[in-house]
Amino acid sequence: CAGTTNRVAGYLDTLGVVYAEAGRFKEAIRATERAVACALAAGDKALATRIESRLEPYRAGRAYSVVPGGAGP
């Protein structure tokens, strides 16, 4: 992310997922909030909404997980 100057929503979203998997929820929330802001700044409201949906589990101390069949949390 540092190589992208932290402005690529998808990379920041992935970073948030990894932080949450490692139990680093404060960092996950911070990265995810930045990802949402980047997506909105790029005019991609749909992406921002998808990324924002990960915040609730992180705030509850849960990692993001994907249900088999492609559905998210």
Side-chain angles (χ1 to χ4, degrees):
C1 289
T4 67
T5 63
N6 290 316
R7 292 189 196 148
V8 178
Y11 294 162
L12 289 165
D13 179 34
T14 300
L15 181 62
V17 170
V18 172
Y19 276 143
E21 283 293 324
R24 296 171 60 180
F25 295 105
K26 286 182 183 179
E27 291 100 328
I29 292 165
R30 206 169 315 134
T32 303
E33 287 173 341
R34 284 196 324 255
V36 170
C38 288
L40 289 172
D44 195 339
K45 188 173 180 180
L47 177 61
T49 299
R50 281 195 310 273
I51 294 170
E52 192 170 36
S53 73
R54 301 188 218 308
L55 284 169
E56 183 179 338
Y58 299 166
R59 289 180 176 137
R62 294 188 319 269
Y64 173 76
S65 62
V66 176
V67 177

